[in-house]
Amino acid sequence: MSVSVSNSSSSPPFNFYKYITSSLQITFRIVQLSAIFIPTLLILPSFYLAERCFSYFNYTPSFWLHGLKWSIELCGPTFIKLGQYASCRPDILPASLCNILLLLRDHVHPHSLSSTRAAILHTFDAELEDLFLEFDTTPLGTGAIAQVHRAVLRPDYTSTNQPIECAVKILHPHVASMIHTDLQIIHWFACIIDSWIPNAQFLSLPDEISTFSNTMHRQLDLVAEAVSLSRFSDNFAKTSPKTHLPVLFPSPIETNLVSHKNPRVLLESYVCAMPLSKVMEMGDATPNGVVREIMQATLATYVQMVGVDNFVHVDMHPGNVFVGFESETAVLEGSVISALRKVESQRVWENAIRRLVDTGFRPRLVILDAGLVEELEEAPRKTVMQLFFALATGFNGQQIGEILADQSTEKFSDVQPDREKFIRGIVNVVDGIKVREKEGGFDLSQLQLGKIMGHIFSLARECRVKLDGSFASVVVGLMVVEGLALSLSKNAGETRVDFL
């Protein structure tokens, strides 16, 4: 995809009409958000009292948290993504809140075909029929920011002069302007909270919102996503045959089309696969060998991203992880995958998967949506590796506590981190881990990273030790991936990967 870049450096003249329009838009949006959030905030005292009353029974009522989740989902893509981003900061937010925010989902209706046509015309200066031999009008999937269609690109526009089956990712209309308005409002409120509420400086909300804004802008940048997909593909293509992971990323399609400098459409290679959630839905009907391969590939993929490539997909939830099948000579046909996706009987599913295995097919992972990636700087990356090494070997808690305390990103004169208490807590956590090594591997039955990191994040919040944002994001991403692996089978304890 070629991109033209404007060389103009002069600022545009003041546009009074645009200023008035923008002000009215922001005002209307504030009224709309107030109508959604004020009822939720009004019942907050009731939740607080109920939490205090039920704490004696070691029970936390969650009605208010679920109401907050519902309100966030009503507010649209910016707030859904903000909630998902906040769920990755258990070092500064309560675990109960983070757990609810992790459940946020994109409830978005597909945009119209006319909007799809407009986006294609905007990006390529060509009509839909002129570019594609086939175009499925029903989306393969719809998210908060974009939707994806299957299509066949005409040979006139391909580098091989052959028709190419592709996935067409299209941004929703007006999503960029809506996100821009919401980010302005969120930043204003973050500054108010930071200035008016005592001890709120520990949260450094303006800085967190700035980081989140950069994240949202990356999600809207389809050129950057194309670069990320290419890099992921190259990283896993270089893997030696001995350690080859059955992992595939869609690749951006090379065309002779000239795209707009701010494209709203991305053409990717089409990979036929089924959602990982389908395998999870079938439960024990999936043969153990297949489950084991999927779990090992999922964990090992994330380990390679963090430990080898230092280029990490931090949004590997079940909606972005798919499963296909391949043999040494062929890839399972799309018609078979489509039929498997429709299977509801566990017995039919089990027989179908066993037949695939008997004919030489094995599962492969397909990972989509490279809009959220992290590339760790040297210090947080070193912290991640040393932390996992200490956890896997069951010692050196003092050193890990000191490393995490030293890389605390904020130190305020009025909210000092309790360094010694934090280190003592880390030592207690690490000393409580009993890891039995098996041939240099990582035994999930002995070590559950989610529980361990939950303790560490709770200590960080209690002791006012604010961890590096990219570090927290990568660690929470690994906790999500581990959760996927453990959810695939009740026999997850039999699975092992060479983690270190």
Side-chain angles (χ1 to χ4, degrees), residues 113 116 128 132-140 147-152 165-166 168 170 270:
L113 181 60
T116 293
L128 183 150
F132 302 106
L133 289 171
E134 300 177 21
F135 190 92
D136 293 350
T137 56
T138 301
L140 295 171
Q147 64 189 43
V148 180
H149 295 259
R150 176 201 161 274
V152 177
E165 189 175 24
C166 60
V168 186
I170 306 167
Y270 178 77

Side-chain angles (χ1 to χ4, degrees), residues 207-222:
D207 292 338
E208 291 292 337
I209 295 304
S210 295
T211 302
F212 171 69
S213 298
N214 293 333
T215 299
M216 289 302 296
H217 289 135
R218 290 205 312 265
Q219 290 246 297
L220 293 169
D221 189 347
L222 297 183

Side-chain angles (χ1 to χ4, degrees), residues 198-490:
N199 295 335
Q201 291 86 355
F202 165 70
L203 300 175
S204 59
L205 288 179
D207 292 338
E208 291 292 337
I209 295 304
S210 295
T211 302
F212 171 69
S213 298
N214 293 333
T215 299
M216 289 302 296
H217 289 135
R218 290 205 312 265
Q219 290 246 297
L220 293 169
D221 189 347
L222 297 183
V223 174
E225 181 171 353
V227 172
S228 296
L229 286 172
S230 296
R231 186 169 173 182
F232 279 125
S233 297
D234 291 343
N235 288 344
F236 282 86
K238 294 174 184 175
T239 311
S240 65
K242 181 179 179 182
T243 59
H244 174 67
L245 304 176
V247 179
L248 183 66
F249 291 83
S251 301
I253 293 178
E254 295 184 7
T255 71
N256 54 20
L257 293 164
V258 178
S259 65
H260 191 275
K261 66 178 182 179
N262 294 314
R264 288 161 49 190
V265 178
L266 174 62
L267 303 181
E268 306 172 8
S269 57
Y270 178 77
V271 183
C272 193
M274 70 186 81
L276 180 60
S277 56
K278 179 64 178 181
V279 180
M280 297 167 68
E281 176 189 331
M282 289 292 105
D284 295 340
T286 306
N288 286 339
V290 174
V291 171
R292 187 173 296 112
E293 281 199 284
I294 294 173
M295 288 192 295
Q296 288 178 331
T298 304
L299 287 167
T301 296
Y302 203 83
V303 169
Q304 177 176 328
M305 291 178 185
V306 177
V308 179
D309 303 327
N310 190 25
F311 194 66
V312 187
H313 189 303
V314 293
D315 198 20
M316 286 179 59
H317 59 76
N320 283 339
V321 181
F322 281 59
V323 178
F325 287 86
E326 64 180 6
S327 67
E328 293 184 359
T329 59
V331 175
L332 190 62
E333 295 180 357
S335 58
V336 180
I337 292 288
S338 298
L340 284 173
R341 295 180 70 162
K342 297 176 183 178
V343 171
E344 296 183 0
S345 166
Q346 289 191 330
R347 183 175 179 179
V348 172
W349 170 269
E350 181 177 2
N351 291 336
I353 300 299
R354 289 194 184 279
R355 282 196 299 269
L356 288 176
V357 173
D358 292 342
T359 53
F361 282 92
R362 62 184 297 218
R364 66 172 181 179
L365 290 186
V366 179
I367 302 179
L368 308 178
D369 194 358
L372 288 179
V373 297
E374 286 285 357
E375 191 168 4
L376 294 174
E377 296 181 0
E378 184 61 29
R381 186 173 185 232
K382 182 179 179 181
T383 302
V384 170
M385 301 309 295
Q386 289 184 332
L387 172 64
F388 293 159
F389 180 80
L391 293 175
T393 54
F395 65 89
N396 211 7
Q398 178 74 21
Q399 181 183 1
I400 290 301
E402 291 176 354
I403 290 171
L404 292 175
D406 290 342
Q407 64 94 62
S408 178
T409 57
E410 301 290 345
K411 296 179 176 64
F412 300 100
S413 58
D414 55 341
V415 187
Q416 287 291 337
D418 192 339
R419 175 186 172 88
E420 296 304 321
K421 180 179 178 182
F422 179 72
I423 293 175
R424 287 197 306 272
I426 295 296
V427 171
N428 292 335
V429 170
V430 174
D431 287 348
I433 300 169
K434 304 299 180 182
V435 179
R436 181 165 60 91
E437 294 184 64
K438 293 183 178 179
E439 301 176 358
F442 176 154
D443 188 355
L444 281 178
S445 66
Q446 299 296 321
L447 176 59
Q448 290 192 18
L449 183 67
K451 292 182 179 179
I452 297 165
M453 291 310 304
H455 289 306
I456 291 178
F457 283 134
S458 294
L459 278 169
R461 188 175 65 255
E462 180 183 346
C463 301
R464 293 293 194 264
V465 174
K466 186 181 179 189
L467 304 177
D468 178 84
S470 58
F471 165 83
S473 185
V474 167
V475 171
V476 172
L478 184 52
M479 292 164 64
V480 171
V481 169
E482 182 199 45
L484 288 181
L486 293 172
S487 297
L488 281 168
S489 173
K490 296 177 182 178

Side-chain angles (χ1 to χ4, degrees), residues 68-260:
L68 177 63
K69 170 181 169 287
W70 177 77
S71 299
I72 291 173
E73 289 175 340
L74 280 182
C75 290
T78 311
F79 288 85
I80 291 173
K81 296 298 180 183
L82 177 60
Q84 292 170 343
Y85 173 81
S87 71
C88 294
R89 297 312 306 267
D91 56 318
I92 60 178
L93 294 175
S96 57
L97 177 58
C98 290
N99 291 336
I100 287 292
L101 294 178
L102 275 172
L103 300 176
L104 284 168
R105 294 292 179 264
D106 305 334
H107 297 289
V108 181
H109 294 292
H111 62 244
S112 65
L113 181 60
S114 61
S115 296
T116 293
R117 291 179 179 276
I120 291 172
L121 182 62
H122 166 87
T123 301
F124 299 117
D125 196 25
E127 295 291 343
L128 183 150
E129 290 80 5
D130 296 333
L131 293 181
F132 302 106
L133 289 171
E134 300 177 21
F135 190 92
D136 293 350
T137 56
T138 301
L140 295 171
T142 302
I145 291 177
Q147 64 189 43
V148 180
H149 295 259
R150 176 201 161 274
V152 177
L153 188 64
R154 290 184 179 275
D156 302 347
Y157 302 107
T158 66
S159 57
T160 60
N161 293 323
Q162 297 292 328
I164 296 180
E165 189 175 24
C166 60
V168 186
K169 182 173 183 176
I170 306 167
L171 297 179
H172 293 311
H174 314 301
V175 69
S177 61
M178 178 187 295
I179 289 173
H180 177 72
T181 299
D182 287 344
L183 289 175
Q184 282 184 290
I185 296 171
I186 293 170
H187 187 266
W188 291 342
F189 278 97
C191 291
I192 292 172
I193 293 172
D194 191 68
S195 301
W196 289 5
I197 298 181
N199 295 335
Q201 291 86 355
F202 165 70
L203 300 175
S204 59
L205 288 179
D207 292 338
E208 291 292 337
I209 295 304
S210 295
T211 302
F212 171 69
S213 298
N214 293 333
T215 299
M216 289 302 296
H217 289 135
R218 290 205 312 265
Q219 290 246 297
L220 293 169
D221 189 347
L222 297 183
V223 174
E225 181 171 353
V227 172
S228 296
L229 286 172
S230 296
R231 186 169 173 182
F232 279 125
S233 297
D234 291 343
N235 288 344
F236 282 86
K238 294 174 184 175
T239 311
S240 65
K242 181 179 179 182
T243 59
H244 174 67
L245 304 176
V247 179
L248 183 66
F249 291 83
S251 301
I253 293 178
E254 295 184 7
T255 71
N256 54 20
L257 293 164
V258 178
S259 65
H260 191 275

